[in-house]
Amino acid sequence: MPNVLLAGGAGYIGSHTAVELLESGYDVIVADNYSNSCPESIKRVEKITGKSVKSYEVDVKDVEKLSVIFEENKIDAVIHFAGLKAVGESVEKPVLYYRNNIDTTLALLECMKKYDVKNIIFSSSATVYGEENPVPYTEEMKRGTCTNPYGWTKVMMEQIFEDAAKADNEMSVVLLRYFNPIGAHESGLIGEDPQGIPNNLMPYVAQVAVGRRDHLTIFGNDYPTPDGTCRRDYIHVVDLAKGHVKAIDYVLKHKGVEVFNLGTGTPYSVTEIVETFQKANGITIKYEYGARRAGDLPESYANADKALKVLGWKTEKNLEDMCRDLWRWQSKNPMGYKG
Ligand code: NAD
Ligand code: UDP
């Protein structure tokens, strides 16, 4: 079976994707510097699947060290998850974000060229639709204006991949635009383990539930949405991971660049999701309404038709599943992988 290199594969989405690839018969190699993860996640992937994963502790920006992986293994395809992703931090430290996210991409493309690897999937984001495009987003819309450096790195990296593929007609690139991945593997063994105070909604909710945070602040309830809170397209991380298996099948058989939204197509508001979490788990979440967070759009959700039509992929899990699986992970691992 083909060998897939997961750059950033120890992280939240990478570890779930590793499970689904291994269970579909692919071999998986992980390259990660553990800047936002730890080797324990790989051990858990091995526990879930009963298969072994070759892993390298490496900064993906480092072309020389990255080359060792390509030298020692025959790689058929790469999935590029390795990036910094905290929107607020990207505003504070733009150079760090541009350096890390762009250089990891360039280093991977350089190694792929040197070792004649033609297939790559990139973790892009709904954020590239920017402020101008109306919801639901469709893949042929032009990339828009982002509100922060993190978003711009995704826009720039999509452009870099398009240019690389234009210059080499043997290349096959799939750009996956993720919406809001939440939840965890149903074993409760792997999940999202943010360092410090979580930036994203659901890890914050889970930490309130487990007693690590006092209460949730809902950022704004005066948006032009049905209940005044922002609406997002939350997708179960296992559904998202399965989308990568379909995308690997696709990228290995095609040439050129293809873009897919990976979302459910159904938006939920912050209030709805907090209420669903409480109901699904029988837990009370203390919350209050606060000011809007700078840069938040009122609504973001996918038109997910293309992934169904072309990849034969659609989401299978609902919001209750997402909330239940998140809580199983958080309650079994109150301090994340540390315990
Ligand atoms: P994550 O932080 O859990 O995983 C990213 C992994 O990359 C981590 O293990 C980190 O240690 C590693 N990494 C970062 N820089 C590296 C470097 N220079 N060298 C080696 N490893 C490096 O994040 P995630 O949620 O799993 O996201 C994966 C990808 O998906 C990211 O590119 C992210 O921007 C993108 N994405 C995530 C979301 C989301 O909401 N989680 C949404 C859209 C897009
Ligand atoms: N949110 C919130 N309180 C928090 C974190 C997030 O109300 O502590 C809201 C945020 O304003 C947005 C939604 O939850 O409307 C999803 O935010 P998240 O950061 O998880 O994802 P985003 O869509 O911004 O990438």
Side-chain angles (χ1 to χ4, degrees):
M1 274 302 261
N3 226 350
V4 185
L5 173 64
L6 307 186
Y12 174 47
I13 302 168
S15 56
H16 287 81
T17 301
V19 167
E20 298 306 320
L21 285 170
L22 288 163
E23 290 186 339
S24 302
Y26 289 97
D27 290 320
V28 160
I29 298 166
V30 169
D32 205 300
N33 65 356
Y34 306 118
S35 57
N36 197 37
S37 57
C38 57
E40 177 63 20
S41 69
I42 313 284
K43 290 201 188 109
R44 306 268 183 105
V45 167
E46 291 179 324
K47 194 169 171 188
I48 293 168
T49 59
K51 296 188 177 165
S52 67
V53 175
K54 199 163 171 184
S55 58
Y56 291 82
E57 182 168 354
V58 62
D59 188 327
V60 173
K61 299 196 291 295
D62 187 332
V63 180
E64 257 171 53
K65 295 213 174 99
L66 193 61
S67 296
V68 173
I69 305 178
F70 285 79
E71 196 70 55
E72 291 182 359
N73 304 277
K74 160 97 187 66
I75 311 280
D76 297 290
V78 176
I79 309 183
H80 180 17
F81 300 102
L84 298 174
K85 61 164 186 176
V87 171
E89 188 185 49
S90 80
V91 177
E92 307 291 316
K93 302 175 184 168
V95 177
L96 176 74
Y97 272 66
Y98 287 114
R99 170 69 76 201
N100 192 73
N101 291 2
I102 308 283
D103 272 5
T104 49
T105 302
L106 296 176
L108 281 167
L109 284 168
E110 282 174 12
C111 284
M112 287 172 65
K113 190 169 176 60
K114 188 165 159 204
Y115 293 91
D116 205 31
V117 177
K118 298 294 184 188
N119 309 307
I120 184 159
I121 294 173
F122 173 58
S123 298
S124 191
S125 165
T127 195
V128 303
Y129 289 107
E131 296 177 304
E132 303 85 349
N133 286 302
V135 286
Y137 300 134
T138 51
E139 289 85 347
E140 77 283 358
M141 288 173 174
K142 276 204 160 69
R143 289 184 285 260
T145 305
C146 294
T147 57
N148 58 76
Y150 165 75
W152 284 119
T153 68
K154 294 294 182 197
V155 169
M156 290 173 189
M157 291 185 285
E158 285 200 357
Q159 184 68 50
I160 290 168
F161 281 114
E162 285 173 1
D163 291 341
K166 212 179 276 171
D168 177 355
N169 57 19
E170 289 296 304
M171 263 191 94
S172 176
V173 176
V174 167
L175 306 175
L176 296 179
R177 293 179 180 159
Y178 308 156
F179 282 72
N180 288 59
I182 61 168
H185 190 265
E186 62 175 19
S187 63
L189 286 170
I190 56 172
E192 190 168 10
D193 182 21
Q195 315 295 305
I197 302 170
N199 301 296
N200 297 109
L201 176 65
M202 290 316 278
Y204 204 102
V205 168
Q207 290 195 8
V208 172
V210 86
R212 282 171 68 181
R213 313 270 158 215
D214 178 63
H215 69 280
L216 170 76
T217 301
I218 294 182
F219 299 143
N221 60 347
D222 57 352
Y223 283 98
T225 58
D227 67 16
T229 64
C230 294
R231 298 205 300 170
R232 296 286 180 272
D233 187 337
Y234 296 95
I235 171 171
H236 196 298
V237 67
V238 171
D239 277 333
L240 186 74
K242 288 181 174 161
H244 290 73
V245 179
K246 296 283 192 189
I248 279 286
D249 297 341
Y250 182 90
V251 86
L252 290 169
K253 288 194 202 108
H254 291 80
K255 307 256 176 274
V257 182
E258 209 60 63
V259 184
F260 296 101
N261 287 338
L262 294 185
T264 65
T266 306
Y268 288 99
S269 75
V270 181
T271 305
E272 278 173 320
I273 196 162
V274 173
E275 276 166 9
T276 307
F277 185 92
Q278 300 190 105
K279 217 161 112 203
N281 297 309
I283 292 171
T284 303
I285 300 293
K286 204 164 127 194
Y287 68 89
E288 62 182 29
Y289 293 106
R292 290 183 178 194
R293 182 173 67 179
D296 277 345
L297 297 174
E299 295 192 296
S300 164
Y301 57 97
N303 174 317
D305 293 351
K306 184 177 174 191
L308 175 60
K309 197 165 145 222
V310 180
L311 299 177
W313 171 89
K314 66 174 169 45
T315 57
E316 287 163 6
K317 294 175 185 281
N318 63 27
L319 201 58
E320 280 79 25
D321 299 325
M322 302 181 212
C323 291
R324 227 179 8 249
D325 292 342
L326 168 60
W327 179 235
R328 189 179 301 109
W329 151 254
Q330 190 72 69
S331 53
K332 280 174 93 169
N333 307 270
M335 300 304 287
Y337 289 111
K338 286 179 212 76

